[in-house]
């Protein structure tokens, strides 16, 4: 038994799972997991009252004068931590002053799901593919595996098997947790890996995404390695993406993606795609949330021959050179987000964009079936380009009132303020490049 059962109370679940402590966890606007460790003997009582946090201490754009942020566990997310079975982990919802905290990313995703259901009768299911690099803990400029040096290392069996202990432990834990993992591979950069698990309701996937990143880091550390989800840790190597696969389902849990339109898609699917394309420059600030993110999506080809990341706002069939890909199965793969993205805000804002497309019947136009990387300048000019840096993305984000309304105007303002502070901080930092290129000015 590794997780709570449907209908179980929090107190009963904690008792049955036999853990000594429970981590009451939640995620801030920068995607940082915050937790308090609560003894099992007090878990039910603390769950009832809410575990108290000083919101100013996390990235929520709150003040020291604000009252406590209270974290209330969602019992359906309770699991045993597989590498330390005395400990349980649960995702929490946040409130302040008796009301849900609007700056909570998890709350934003739940609101986006509710809006989608109320306005279109649909639910969204997502699956994420998070890439990461395994670096040497002593020197993070080097890979953990010094023998992993091939120029085109994707799917190579030797570097995969050299990390067998790490990968098999991860897969084993994911199976125990009921995630149904189905493949693990060595990715396109040296030292880079990806493990896929089965798609589910967007909130379930988001909770698992947070837990997964923590688990990967912990298990890597245990083996003297550092795992990084940084979007572009090395300029000459492929970056870490978080491709999100999504599909829309009706009240009877029937997928509504198939139809007579382009690539065998329904009008519903096409309109949703239209919304995702229309709002892409603005939600880029969330799907690609760091200064470093823009070195991935506007990259020149890497040593392997391709950056595998988009640079235009475009959609296609089974072709990996555009922002939205429709694989052979009727679903969308959004290739824009990177592994630094916020597990809750990213699906929340993309759902909001897609819903706007549904409501306004947005036409995505015909799919572009050519290779965008080798297309000539004229063709590329006809496409909307993605932002070139975080500042451009934030300016687009600030202008988009539909997205702000969907994720909550207060959350949108808080996110914008915190990210602008980060941009300004970065802009004031002196780089080696500036010295080398401006000393003789």
């Amino acid at each position: 038994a590794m997780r709570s059962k449907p209908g179980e109370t929090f107190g009963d679940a904690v008792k049955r799972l036999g853990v000594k402590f429970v981590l009451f966890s939640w995620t801030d606007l920068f995607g940082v997991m915050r937790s308090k460790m609560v003894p099992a003997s007090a878990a039910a009582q603390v769950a009832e009252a809410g575990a108290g946090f000083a919101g100013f201490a996390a990235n929520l754009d709150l003040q020291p004068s604000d009252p406590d942020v209270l974290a209330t566990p969602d019992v359906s997310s309770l699991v045993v931590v597989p590498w330390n079975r005395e400990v349980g982990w649960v995702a929490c919802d946040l409130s302040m002053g008796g009301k849900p905290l609007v700056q909570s990313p998890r709350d934003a995703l739940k609101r986006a799901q509710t809006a989608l259901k109320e306005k279109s009768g649909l639910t969204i299911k997502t699956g994420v593919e998070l890439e990461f690099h395994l670096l040497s803990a002593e020197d993070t400029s080097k890979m953990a595996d010094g023998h992993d040096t091939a120029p085109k290392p994707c799917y190579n069996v030797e570097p995969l098997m050299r990390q067998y202990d790490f990968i098999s432990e991860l897969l084993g834990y994911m199976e125990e947790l009921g995630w149904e993992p189905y493949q693990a591979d060595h990715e396109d950069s040296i030292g880079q890996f990806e493990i896929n698990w089965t798609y589910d309701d967007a909130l379930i996937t988001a909770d698992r995404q947070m837990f997964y990143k923590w688990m990967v880091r912990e298990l890597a550390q245990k083996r003297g390695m550092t795992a990084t989800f940084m979007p572009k840790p090395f300029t000459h190597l492929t970056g870490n993406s978080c491709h999100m696969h999504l599909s829309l389902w009706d009240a009877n849990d029937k997928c509504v993606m198939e139809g007579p339109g382009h690539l065998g898609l329904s009008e519903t699917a096409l309109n949703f795609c239209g919304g995702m394309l229309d709002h892409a420059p603005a939600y880029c600030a969330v799907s690609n949330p760091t200064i470093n993110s823009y070195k991935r999506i506007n990259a020149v080809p890497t040593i392997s021959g391709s950056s595998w990341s988009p640079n235009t706002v475009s959609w296609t069939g089974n072709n990996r050179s555009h922002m939205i890909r429709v694989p052979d199965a009727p679903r969308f793969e959004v290739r824009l987000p990177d592994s630094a993205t916020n597990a809750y805000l990213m699906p929340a804002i993309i759902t909001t964009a897609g819903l706007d497309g549904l409501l306004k019947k947005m036409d995505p136009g015909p799919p572009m079936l050519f290779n965008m990387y080798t297309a000539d300048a004229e063709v590329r000019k006809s496409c909307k380009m993605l932002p070139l840096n975080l500042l451009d993305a934030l300016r687009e984000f600030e202008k988009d009132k539909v997205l702000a309304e969907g994720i909550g105007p207060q959350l949108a303002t808080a996110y914008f303020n915190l990210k602008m502070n980060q941009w300004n901080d970065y802009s004031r930092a002196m780089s080696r490049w500036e010295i080398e290129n401006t000393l003789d000015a």
Side-chain angles (χ1 to χ4, degrees):
M2 294 294 281
R3 53 184 187 167
S4 58
K5 290 177 179 166
E8 209 171 16
T9 69
F10 185 68
D12 288 349
V14 169
K15 215 170 269 165
R16 181 180 57 80
L17 293 170
V19 293
K20 290 185 180 174
F21 306 98
V22 181
L23 289 166
F24 281 42
S25 293
W26 52 275
T27 300
D28 71 17
L29 289 168
F30 282 7
V32 180
M33 194 199 287
R34 311 282 178 170
S35 300
K36 270 191 173 177
M37 191 182 277
V38 177
S41 55
Q45 192 186 336
V46 175
E48 186 68 30
F53 293 80
F56 176 69
N59 301 304
L60 292 171
D61 201 32
L62 292 172
Q63 294 306 315
S65 51
D66 285 316
D68 271 13
V69 168
L70 297 177
T72 307
D74 176 347
V75 63
S76 70
S77 69
L78 177 67
V79 292
V80 174
V81 174
W83 63 96
N84 186 345
R85 296 178 189 231
E86 293 186 348
V87 181
W89 179 92
V90 69
C92 293
D93 289 310
L94 303 180
S95 61
M96 190 170 81
K99 292 193 194 83
L101 183 75
V102 282
Q103 289 98 312
S104 158
R106 194 172 192 270
D107 189 57
L109 177 53
K110 286 166 82 168
R111 277 183 280 126
Q113 286 178 303
T114 302
L116 181 67
K117 194 158 205 162
E118 284 176 357
K119 293 175 183 175
S120 72
L122 300 173
T123 58
I124 184 168
K125 295 187 185 185
T126 61
V128 287
E129 303 176 337
L130 286 148
E131 293 170 325
F132 59 89
H133 280 80
L134 290 176
L135 309 175
S136 154
E138 280 78 60
D139 180 359
T140 50
S141 70
K142 294 194 173 103
M143 300 302 163
D145 176 4
H147 300 289
D148 191 352
T149 56
K152 272 178 113 67
C154 203
Y155 313 125
N156 275 9
V157 68
E158 291 92 346
L160 179 68
M161 289 307 287
R162 282 197 295 272
Q163 295 294 358
Y164 175 79
D165 290 353
F166 170 78
I167 302 284
S168 60
E169 186 178 17
L170 254 178
L171 282 167
Y173 291 160
M174 289 159 84
E175 282 189 309
E176 278 189 272
L177 291 166
W179 295 8
E180 298 173 22
Y182 58 89
Q183 61 189 17
D185 70 3
H186 187 288
E187 275 295 327
D188 193 61
S189 159
I190 56 173
Q192 189 184 40
F193 297 87
E194 176 180 303
I195 298 171
N196 304 135
W197 69 91
T198 304
Y199 70 95
D200 212 318
D201 173 83
L203 186 67
I204 291 173
T205 295
D207 284 340
R208 287 175 179 174
Q209 185 172 337
M210 285 309 301
F211 191 87
Y212 175 76
K213 286 178 82 168
W214 176 46
M215 177 160 65
V216 168
R217 287 195 188 104
E218 289 281 317
L219 299 186
Q221 202 177 4
K222 205 171 82 171
R223 293 193 153 75
M225 302 185 286
T226 296
T228 181
F229 292 89
M230 183 176 173
K232 189 80 169 171
F234 304 95
T235 47
H236 63 297
L237 298 173
T238 305
N240 290 318
S241 63
C242 172
H243 297 157
M244 180 169 73
H245 292 254
L246 65 91
S247 49
L248 300 166
W249 301 69
D250 68 14
N252 303 316
D253 208 29
K254 179 177 177 293
C255 186
V256 299
M257 300 294 284
E258 272 182 86
H262 295 299
L263 305 176
L265 294 169
S266 63
E267 193 187 352
T268 298
L270 290 168
N271 291 159
F272 196 89
C273 181
M276 290 195 293
L277 292 169
D278 188 67
H279 293 281
Y283 66 66
C284 202
V286 168
S287 60
N288 305 73
T290 68
I291 304 289
N292 177 255
S293 295
Y294 296 82
K295 289 187 167 67
R296 170 184 160 263
I297 57 173
N298 292 296
V300 294
T302 59
I303 281 179
S304 74
S306 175
S307 70
W308 299 103
S309 52
N311 48 33
T312 53
V313 179
S314 54
W315 77 292
T316 187
N318 204 347
N319 166 343
R320 289 176 167 83
S321 67
H322 295 259
M323 190 188 101
I324 295 174
R325 164 179 166 251
V326 180
D328 296 333
R331 64 175 187 270
F332 292 121
E333 178 192 47
V334 187
R335 297 178 63 81
L336 178 57
D338 60 49
S339 287
T341 194
N342 188 302
Y344 303 98
L345 276 190
M346 188 264 288
I349 204 162
I350 290 178
T351 299
T352 301
L355 175 60
D356 192 45
L358 284 178
L359 299 176
K360 293 178 183 161
K361 298 212 173 303
M362 288 183 186
D363 178 9
M368 297 183 173
L369 303 175
F370 52 84
N371 181 346
M372 184 57 88
Y373 297 145
T374 56
D376 63 37
E378 282 313 299
V379 174
R380 291 168 60 80
K381 251 190 219 145
S382 70
C383 298
K384 200 160 45 167
M385 298 302 288
L386 287 163
L388 287 168
N389 55 51
L390 182 61
L391 180 62
D392 285 354
L394 286 168
R395 285 173 172 159
E396 292 286 346
F397 174 80
E398 192 187 23
K399 282 193 302 215
D400 197 317
K401 299 299 170 236
V402 171
L403 294 186
E405 201 49 51
I407 59 170
Q410 237 178 305
L411 184 149
T413 302
Y415 186 81
F416 179 80
N417 290 344
L418 291 169
K419 281 286 162 192
M420 277 305 289
N421 289 346
Q422 206 174 38
W423 174 264
N424 291 332
D425 189 37
Y426 166 71
S427 301
R428 284 190 288 265
M430 187 73 76
S431 70
R432 185 77 220 146
W433 187 95
E434 288 171 84
I435 306 288
E436 285 168 1
N437 287 275
T438 334
L439 210 57
D440 296 334

